[in-house]
């Protein structure tokens, strides 16, 4: 069995608290991402005979003895909060994958830590299953994200808006270092800890920046560009994160800390799914601006190492990189080459969807299925304003390229109504629907799903309202 490393806990010991995982009542391993486990070179015996469950509850085991909770802060809905940290998660350690890269193993829902702020430190099955399926679905779509390794159910009751079954999951990421880590040690005036954090991050994750004229500016640039590219992918696929607080933003530019996320069904640019966000701060069309705002908050921590011009010049790269990536991806999904007329066609397509509240993912998929025809057929029939669609279609047929668009436009995404059904059955101890939905999300472009239940639209167009509470 591969031994776990503890680089973060050892080299930044002053930034963590040692906390033993707290098991759940009748904890059971219910879902395992075996391809990921193989990629991480983990012992297959972990998934047999409740081995991992036992290891997580044995205080002296390699999977629990050196578990730590990390300290950080964050801007939550625009307001600085220094009292944050891993309140229900523990960094168990790190393992080397087949490519020779370290990956964090992070246990979510492991009980109280010094940063729980009077909360119970638990996670519920509802949110855990949503993150498990959602993160693997984004990975299959090519969107950078943390990954789901395994999920545990239990007989433990956890109180949120209602009594819910408790659960835990182990997720992986290159690291769990957030914008909020740098923010906290900068605003707390802890210069030594901030410098130690910078040195660790530069050496372990961004070594290519070290030989640059200003390594810290190079680091800020790398984080900025990775974030811009991730947000472009979110926008192209109609993904709404829901809680883009700076403590939920990864320095690696990966989708992180899944809460009330959703993919847009009926398209409207200002879609909000988090019922804790009545002002729409984290609406779909505000995500690029919020990402840049978050980067500005992160940049304060770089002021001891970069002057104002260096920071401004770096952050100004966000918008052009985001726009270039977004336009390229959107034109690819539509089968269009680069050009002003093609970009206008892309914009007009979104205007069509918005004007009639057409389903975002299904409309792109339907377009892909008609990509080689002159007759728009069922696609045309899905619009009320046929004249407006016909004008768009005529122009589109002039510019479209002979490409396979089915491999660019998914048939299956983890829609909220499908996730709700998976949660309902899992709460009755039946994970078969969840496993089947996950399998579909792992091959989202396969034509098998075009007429399948997992490609179905929600029965109602009523707005979805999701809870942050997990």
């Amino acid at each position: 069995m591969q031994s776990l490393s503890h680089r973060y806990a050892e080299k930044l010991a002053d930034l963590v608290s040692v906390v033993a995982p707290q098991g759940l009542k009748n904890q059971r391993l219910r879902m395992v991402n075996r391809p990921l486990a193989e990629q991480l070179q983990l012992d297959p015996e972990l998934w047999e005979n409740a081995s991992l469950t036992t290891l997580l509850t044995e205080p002296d085991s390699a999977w629990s003895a050196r578990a730590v909770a990390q300290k950080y802060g964050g801007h939550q809905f625009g307001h600085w909060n220094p009292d944050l940290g891993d309140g229900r998660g523990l960094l168990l350690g790190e393992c080397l994958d087949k490519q020779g890269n370290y990956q964090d193993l992070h246990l979510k829902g492991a009980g109280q830590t010094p940063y729980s702020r009077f909360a119970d430190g638990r996670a519920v099955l509802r949110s855990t299953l949503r993150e498990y399926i959602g993160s693997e679905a984004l990975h299959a779509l090519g969107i950078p994200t943390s990954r789901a390794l395994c999920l545990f159910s239990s007989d433990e009751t956890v109180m949120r808006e209602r009594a819910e079954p408790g659960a835990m999951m182990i997720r992986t990421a290159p690291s769990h270092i957030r914008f909020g880590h740098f923010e906290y040690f900068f605003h707390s005036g802890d210069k030594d800890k901030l410098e130690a954090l910078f040195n660790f991050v530069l050496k372990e994750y961004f070594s290519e920046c070290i030989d640059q004229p200003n390594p810290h500016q190079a680091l800020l640039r790398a984080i900025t560009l990775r974030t811009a590219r991730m947000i472009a992918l979110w926008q192209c696929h109609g993904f709404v994160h829901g809680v883009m607080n700076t403590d939920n933003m990864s320095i690696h530019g990966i989708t992180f800390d899944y809460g009330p996320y959703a993919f847009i069904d009926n398209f409207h640019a200002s879609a909000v799914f988090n019922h804790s966000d009545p002002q729409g701060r984290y609406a779909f069309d505000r995500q690029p601006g919020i990402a840049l705002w978050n980067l500005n908050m992160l940049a304060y921590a770089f002021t001891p190492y970069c002057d104002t011009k260096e920071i401004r010049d770096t952050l100004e790269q966000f918008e052009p990189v985001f726009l270039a990536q977004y336009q390229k991806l959107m034109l690819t999904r539509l089968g269009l080459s680069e050009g002003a007329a093609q970009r206008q066609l892309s914009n007009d397509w979104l205007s069509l969807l918005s004007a009639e509240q057409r389903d975002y993912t299904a409309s792109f998929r339907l377009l892909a299925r008609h990509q080689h025809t002159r007759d728009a057929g069922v696609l045309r029939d899905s619009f009320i304003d046929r004249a407006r669609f016909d004008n768009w279609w005529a122009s589109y047929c002039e510019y479209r390229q002979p490409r396979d668009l089915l491999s660019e436009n998914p048939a299956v995404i983890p829609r909220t109504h499908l996730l709700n059904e998976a949660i309902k059955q899992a709460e009755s101890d039946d994970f078969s629907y969840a496993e089947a939905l996950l399998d579909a999300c792992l091959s989202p472009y396969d034509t098998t799903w075009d007429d399948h239940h997992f490609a179905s639209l929600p029965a109602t167009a009523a707005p979805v309202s999701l809870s942050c509470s997990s």
Side-chain angles (χ1 to χ4, degrees):
M1 172 181 168
Q2 179 184 169
S3 59
L4 299 186
S5 300
H6 303 275
R7 298 173 306 153
Y8 188 94
E10 290 173 351
K11 297 181 181 180
L12 298 174
D14 291 342
L15 280 59
V16 302
S17 298
V18 177
V19 182
Q22 301 166 33
L24 295 163
K25 180 181 179 182
N26 195 20
Q27 182 175 307
R28 302 178 295 281
L29 182 64
R30 298 308 303 261
M31 299 178 76
V32 178
N33 189 340
R34 294 183 185 273
L36 177 59
E38 182 180 354
Q39 174 65 20
L40 297 176
Q41 305 186 88
L42 296 175
D43 191 337
E45 291 185 5
L46 288 169
W47 323 117
E48 309 300 333
N49 302 317
S51 295
L52 183 55
T53 300
T54 301
L55 289 171
L56 289 173
T57 56
E58 288 182 347
D60 296 328
S61 84
W63 284 73
S64 63
R66 303 179 69 180
V68 296
Q70 302 176 65
K71 174 58 186 169
Y72 47 84
H75 279 86
Q76 299 187 306
F77 292 91
H79 302 286
W80 172 243
N81 185 349
D83 299 321
L84 303 178
D86 284 337
R88 57 194 172 97
L90 296 176
L91 176 59
L92 301 174
E94 303 132 27
C95 62
L96 274 173
D97 65 18
K98 288 185 174 180
Q99 279 68 50
N101 298 316
Y102 282 101
Q103 298 291 332
D104 275 7
L105 298 174
H106 190 267
L107 181 63
K108 195 169 181 179
Q112 290 183 319
T113 78
Y115 317 119
S116 296
R117 293 181 294 164
F118 306 106
D120 57 19
R122 293 303 190 187
V124 297
L125 180 59
R126 165 177 51 87
S127 63
T128 306
L129 189 57
R130 279 174 52 84
E131 176 164 355
Y132 193 105
I133 296 175
S135 60
E136 289 306 295
L138 261 66
H139 176 71
L141 291 171
I143 302 175
T145 178
S146 59
R147 301 287 305 278
L149 177 61
C150 62
L151 180 149
F152 302 88
S153 68
S154 77
D155 293 335
E156 187 118 348
T157 298
V158 176
M159 290 301 303
R160 293 297 183 259
E161 285 88 352
R162 61 179 177 86
E164 300 187 54
M168 293 197 301
M169 70 176 289
I170 296 178
R171 67 181 181 190
T172 72
S175 85
H176 280 69
I177 300 175
R178 312 149 187 269
F179 288 14
H181 279 81
F182 293 94
E183 289 184 280
Y184 176 77
F185 294 108
F186 171 75
H187 290 298
S188 65
D190 219 326
K191 296 180 181 180
D192 291 343
K193 291 181 180 178
L194 179 64
E195 185 167 359
L197 179 62
F198 269 119
N199 291 340
F200 178 81
V201 167
L202 282 165
K203 179 182 177 182
E204 302 296 343
Y205 306 116
F206 293 87
S207 58
E208 69 277 10
C209 297
I210 294 175
D211 293 331
Q212 296 300 308
N214 184 337
H216 292 83
Q217 183 188 14
L219 173 60
L220 181 60
R221 180 180 185 274
I223 296 171
T224 297
L225 299 191
R226 291 186 188 193
T227 302
R229 295 183 181 112
M230 176 191 70
I231 299 296
L233 283 161
W234 286 6
Q235 301 305 112
C236 281
H237 283 281
F239 176 80
V240 184
H241 182 277
V243 194
M244 290 177 64
N245 297 331
T246 59
D247 56 295
N248 294 335
M249 299 291 291
S250 166
I251 62 169
H252 301 284
I254 62 174
T255 312
F256 198 58
D257 278 4
Y258 289 74
Y261 75 86
F263 284 83
I264 294 176
D265 292 319
N266 295 336
F267 181 62
H268 56 105
S270 59
V272 178
F273 300 101
N274 181 358
H275 74 52
S276 300
D277 188 15
Q279 304 303 316
R281 176 179 176 83
Y282 298 137
F284 173 68
D285 58 357
R286 293 187 178 181
Q287 291 184 142
I290 289 296
L292 182 54
W293 190 92
N294 288 344
L295 286 163
N296 273 272
M297 297 303 102
L298 169 65
Y300 280 101
F302 285 75
T303 55
Y305 310 94
C306 304
D307 62 34
T308 301
K309 184 179 186 301
E310 288 175 320
I311 289 175
R312 183 177 63 247
D313 290 348
T314 301
L315 295 180
E316 284 179 350
Q317 296 178 51
F318 176 90
E319 184 175 358
V321 169
F322 163 77
L323 288 174
Q325 184 82 348
Y326 174 77
Q327 290 168 356
K328 177 183 178 181
L329 292 169
M330 191 61 76
L331 291 175
T332 298
R333 292 196 71 183
L334 292 171
L336 297 171
S337 58
E338 174 58 39
Q342 291 90 331
R343 290 196 297 272
Q344 187 59 51
L345 276 170
S346 174
N347 292 336
D348 290 345
W349 169 247
L350 295 181
S351 294
L352 271 173
L353 300 186
S354 179
E356 298 196 13
Q357 299 284 284
R358 294 297 90 196
D359 186 272
Y360 188 84
T361 300
S363 295
F364 272 94
R365 183 69 175 186
L366 201 54
L367 178 67
R369 295 174 73 178
H370 287 78
Q371 201 266 337
H372 299 294
T373 68
R374 296 294 302 184
D375 180 5
V378 177
L379 177 62
R380 180 180 188 269
D381 293 342
S382 67
F383 290 90
I384 297 172
D385 189 343
R386 306 289 170 76
R388 182 179 180 183
F389 173 82
D390 289 343
N391 288 333
W392 181 85
W393 179 255
S395 297
Y396 174 69
C397 288
E398 290 182 24
Y399 287 97
R400 65 186 179 182
Q401 302 292 306
R403 301 175 188 166
D404 173 21
L405 296 189
L406 292 177
S407 62
E408 305 291 346
N409 296 286
V412 177
I413 53 172
R415 294 179 182 270
T416 300
H417 71 286
L418 300 175
L419 290 168
N420 287 344
E421 181 61 29
I423 292 164
K424 177 182 176 182
Q425 295 194 26
E427 288 181 339
S428 297
D429 208 32
D430 182 355
F431 282 76
S432 58
Y433 187 96
E435 292 278 13
L437 175 58
L438 175 62
D439 286 344
C441 289
L442 294 180
S443 56
Y445 303 103
D446 197 308
T447 55
T448 301
W449 310 117
D450 279 310
D451 300 310
H452 193 277
H453 165 68
F454 290 143
S456 67
L457 308 188
T460 174
V464 174
S465 182
L466 300 167
S467 170
C468 273
S469 175
S470 59

